[in-house]
Amino acid sequence: MSRVLVTGGASGLGAALVARFVAEGHQVLSTDVADDGPDGGAKYRRLNVRSAEDWAAAVEWCEQNWGGLDILVNNAGIATGGRIDVETLDEWDRVVDINLMGVVRGCRAFTPVFKRQRSGHIVNTASAAGLVHPPMMSSYNTVKAGVVALSETLSHELHPYGVNVSVVCPSFFRTNLGDSIQGEDTAMGATARQLIEKSPRTADDIAAGVITGIKKKQFLIIPDRPALMAWRTKRFARPLYDRQMRKIAARARERAEAAARG
């Protein structure tokens, strides 16, 4: 039985992971920004991933109540995106602080615990956008690629201490993530929400693949076929990948110009 902390555990993929960990008999601390979390067999604690103080308090809670931690799942995040000349710098600051620095803060907070234990597993939720980089998603692609890079770095850095690291890279799946989309590029936001809402995959589908990858201690967990095929196309058929991405960009230009003409 493992001791597990999940950020963003009140909804979406986080809630699905919490449910699966609980069902398998693990001790689970679900965290999110709300003061109270849903019932379901897990402990709940408020944790804003932008707050170093909240992270320090979470470490203290785990040490006092459990004597440590076995699995840290840095899952909390928001959806964002937009054309480089439309999305504002404030929007960039927000997504960097939550989606990238939120993961950094979590890794920094619990690494001393894992080093002392000589054991532990860090699981960072990135995205297929961390591996393949569609146009009009520069901020989201950038932070998710940063999570992949951070995870690979730590997989080597913490290996001598017996600590495993995984990074999760799913494609679109149905969740409330679209509710977090805000910003100047409303056209891009509408497209992203549509892709999320119309996906045939559920958060529980993705969670099942993530749990399997964690059990196998895989570094790169790609839990659905569309994400896997996109990644393989980029790696092994780069001209095809580039053509696909440029077609997306060309269609976006046509839509933008049509909208400008009224």
Side-chain angles (χ1 to χ4, degrees):
M1 182 172 66
S2 295
R3 302 159 294 180
V4 185
L5 186 154
V6 180
T7 68
S11 63
L13 178 58
L17 288 170
V18 167
R20 284 188 170 268
F21 278 123
V22 169
E24 294 190 2
H26 302 294
Q27 298 181 83
V28 183
L29 177 61
S30 173
T31 72
D32 215 305
V33 293
D35 290 332
D36 298 305
D39 295 328
K43 303 288 186 182
Y44 180 81
R45 184 178 179 87
R46 185 184 186 280
L47 192 161
N48 185 339
V49 297
R50 305 175 83 172
S51 168
E53 291 77 15
D54 282 7
W55 276 112
V59 171
E60 183 179 7
W61 189 96
C62 291
E63 291 187 316
Q64 288 184 351
N65 290 274
W66 290 344
L69 188 71
D70 298 306
I71 302 174
L72 168 65
V73 184
N74 286 307
N75 171 76
I78 60 171
T80 186
R83 291 160 287 181
I84 189 65
D85 55 336
V86 179
E87 190 175 15
T88 69
L89 291 179
D90 285 343
E91 292 167 42
W92 272 84
D93 288 342
R94 178 172 176 260
V95 72
V96 168
D97 199 29
I98 296 172
N99 286 18
L100 179 56
M101 294 307 299
V103 176
V104 171
R105 292 184 191 98
C107 293
R108 278 181 52 84
F110 276 96
T111 287
V113 176
F114 292 149
K115 283 184 173 181
R116 286 196 301 270
Q117 295 175 170
R118 292 295 194 268
S119 68
H121 195 157
I122 297 172
V123 181
N124 295 328
T125 299
S127 166
L131 303 174
V132 299
H133 306 131
M136 289 78 69
M137 291 179 59
S138 55
S139 63
Y140 194 74
N141 293 346
T142 298
V143 294
K144 292 304 186 179
V147 172
V148 174
L150 170 67
S151 302
E152 181 179 339
T153 302
L154 296 184
S155 73
H156 303 310
E157 181 176 327
L158 299 180
H159 184 265
Y161 297 92
V163 179
N164 295 297
V165 179
S166 299
V167 62
V168 179
C169 295
S171 62
F172 291 105
F173 58 95
R174 293 197 305 278
T175 178
N176 63 340
L177 189 63
D179 296 341
S180 66
I181 298 173
Q182 54 184 261
E184 294 295 322
D185 200 340
T186 56
M188 177 60 202
T191 299
R193 277 189 290 271
Q194 186 177 47
L195 289 169
I196 292 169
E197 292 166 1
K198 292 190 174 182
S199 171
R201 292 168 295 282
T202 67
D204 192 59
D205 294 334
I206 300 300
V210 173
I211 295 293
T212 297
I214 291 173
K215 289 178 179 178
K216 293 179 179 180
K217 298 182 178 179
Q218 293 175 339
F219 166 70
L220 181 59
I221 301 175
I222 304 179
D224 62 274
R225 182 173 175 79
L228 181 61
M229 294 307 297
W231 178 63
R232 286 178 173 172
T233 300
K234 181 177 179 178
R235 291 188 68 199
F236 303 116
R238 185 58 187 254
L240 173 61
Y241 168 81
D242 288 341
R243 286 197 299 272
Q244 291 173 336
M245 293 300 154
R246 287 167 186 172
K247 284 181 181 178
I248 295 171
R251 288 196 295 268
R253 174 187 170 181
E254 290 170 2
R255 288 194 298 268
E257 291 178 348
R261 290 193 298 268

